[in-house]
Amino acid sequence: MSTTSPPSPPETAVMARLSRLDQFLPVWIGLAMIAGLLLGRFVPGLDNALDAVTIGGISLPIALGLLIMMYPVLAKVRYDRLDTVTGDRRLLLSSLILNWIVGPALMFALAWLFLPDHPEYRTGLIIVGLARCIAMVIIWNDLACGDREAAAVLVALNSVFQVFAFGVLGWFYLSVLPGWLGLDGAQLEVSGWEIAGNVLVFLGIPLLAGYLTRRFGERARGRDWYESRFLPKIGPAALYGLLFTIVILFALQGDAITSRPWDVVLIAVPLLAYFAIMWGGSYALGKAIGLTYERTTTLAFTAAGNNFELAIAVAIGTFGVTSGQALAGVVGPLIEVPVLVALVYVSLWARRRFFT
């Protein structure tokens, strides 16, 4: 009788190939969040020191962390394959509908359903729903073995739409639609130039750097050297940047989070519902329209993820750093980060269950 062991499930094989840092990512993220909260709570004046210099309304340390986080992933993109993504109309159309019609409408409905008597938190959540993904979603997609080139295209597409649509949708969901429904709204004033600046800095710079690195690296040493030698060396920097960003982000708002725990719970409930519905619905849609596992995963993560950096910057710039709107923006990544990390594992499990 054969003693050969049965093959390991795909998600197990994938996790076994990951570095120790990657395998214990939820642990490191949890520790980073705790460290940030403790720093913000017990180090006097730290928030003012970290926020003394800003880029596009965002703390310079956070900006540096985001750039470090984004660059290695975008350096991995095969830019010569992007035409295979832009020709997939099912993927592009589904992404646009999910991100700019379904996502904002769902967050609006959940915010009013769960927070009818908390207008500041409700407005903050609606702003989070309007800020579509441009940053960390690339990390989650990569960990879940999604289509890296498709993620780059969809993030770029959402970024372009964000420049033009954020202000208009903010006006619609915070002023026009509540009036039509007989609800009390709140005016959102945000500059399209500010949004464009954020997109240029946090997507444009690492995207250009990643493209130039691949182009000149392959030209100088060849693709085999670039992918087998260079990329493994810079790869861990993405997760180091992620952990650094989380520590700084939670240090900036640690006092607000730890001093108002019940308010954090109130904000967390609709956020949990939002991420579950958006990710699960997008994943089901990708499977239904015949996308591959890789592109289904990319569609789901790019639809569920949010640009909380922009949401926080807009909330602080419009309503103030101590406002309820700003607190709601900060709770966004507090919930989003562990939830989407968990969904990476769910996605790897679903590949074996639904795509074999």
Side-chain angles (χ1 to χ4, degrees):
M1 187 173 71
S2 174
T3 59
T4 302
S5 300
S8 300
E11 67 273 16
T12 302
V14 169
M15 296 308 296
R17 292 197 302 268
L18 295 177
S19 68
R20 184 64 56 88
L21 178 66
D22 292 339
Q23 290 178 12
F24 291 92
L25 180 62
V27 176
W28 310 140
I29 287 178
L31 292 175
M33 294 167 72
I34 293 172
L37 290 173
L38 293 176
L39 284 172
R41 180 69 171 174
F42 296 110
V43 179
L46 180 63
D47 54 345
N48 293 328
L50 292 174
D51 215 20
V53 181
T54 63
I55 296 179
I58 298 176
S59 168
L60 178 60
I62 291 181
L64 293 176
L66 290 170
L67 294 176
I68 294 171
M69 177 186 74
M70 293 282 284
Y71 164 69
V73 177
L74 290 171
K76 295 178 182 179
V77 171
R78 288 283 301 274
Y79 292 93
D80 56 340
R81 294 179 179 174
L82 294 185
D83 58 336
T84 65
V85 180
T86 56
D88 191 339
R89 295 183 179 179
R90 295 172 304 170
L91 177 65
L92 297 181
L93 183 60
S94 297
S95 180
L96 288 175
I97 292 174
L98 288 168
N99 273 285
W100 297 104
I101 297 178
V102 177
L106 176 62
M107 188 68 89
F108 175 87
L110 292 172
W112 276 98
L113 177 64
F114 286 97
L115 300 169
D117 300 322
H118 297 82
E120 289 188 347
Y121 299 155
R122 187 177 65 234
T123 297
L125 282 185
I126 293 173
I127 293 173
V128 171
L130 297 176
R132 311 312 300 169
C133 65
I134 71 165
M136 285 189 181
V137 68
I138 294 180
I139 297 287
W140 315 138
N141 177 77
D142 214 46
L143 290 172
C145 302
D147 189 317
R148 191 174 291 145
E149 287 71 36
V153 170
L154 294 185
V155 165
L157 185 65
N158 282 324
S159 299
V160 172
F161 267 75
Q162 196 147 248
V163 173
F164 299 101
F166 188 95
V168 174
L169 289 176
W171 166 74
F172 175 75
Y173 280 106
L174 293 175
S175 297
V176 177
L177 186 56
W180 289 351
L181 300 176
L183 307 171
D184 293 327
Q187 183 65 40
L188 174 65
E189 296 181 3
V190 58
S191 167
W193 291 109
E194 291 179 2
I195 300 173
N198 282 329
V199 171
L200 179 63
V201 171
F202 298 115
L203 177 65
I205 291 176
L207 182 63
L208 178 62
Y211 170 76
L212 293 177
T213 301
R214 177 172 279 277
R215 180 172 182 178
F216 289 108
E218 288 188 355
R219 180 180 296 178
R221 303 292 294 273
R223 176 164 293 175
D224 181 67
W225 171 87
Y226 183 84
E227 295 191 344
S228 64
R229 302 287 297 277
F230 179 73
L231 288 181
K233 290 183 178 179
I234 66 170
L239 294 181
Y240 295 141
L242 171 63
L243 296 175
F244 174 80
T245 301
I246 291 171
V247 170
I248 300 301
L249 180 65
F250 285 95
L252 282 169
Q253 296 292 334
D255 185 66
I257 292 173
T258 56
S259 62
R260 298 151 76 178
W262 177 244
D263 289 0
V264 171
V265 174
L266 287 176
I267 298 168
V269 172
L271 280 170
L272 285 170
Y274 172 83
F275 292 129
I277 294 171
M278 282 300 295
W279 192 90
S282 302
Y283 206 96
L285 175 63
K287 174 65 175 174
I289 63 178
L291 297 180
T292 63
Y293 165 79
E294 291 77 12
R295 293 195 173 177
T296 295
T297 297
T298 299
L299 179 66
F301 279 102
T302 53
N306 291 86
N307 182 4
F308 60 80
E309 304 88 5
L310 175 61
I312 293 171
V314 169
I316 291 175
T318 306
F319 301 101
V321 69
T322 60
S323 66
Q325 291 88 343
L327 178 61
V330 172
V331 175
L334 177 68
I335 303 303
E336 177 176 343
V337 170
V339 167
L340 292 190
V341 168
L343 289 174
V344 168
Y345 293 89
V346 173
S347 186
L348 293 171
W349 168 84
R351 177 171 62 172
R352 176 172 60 90
R353 187 70 180 270
F354 301 112
F355 289 89
T356 56

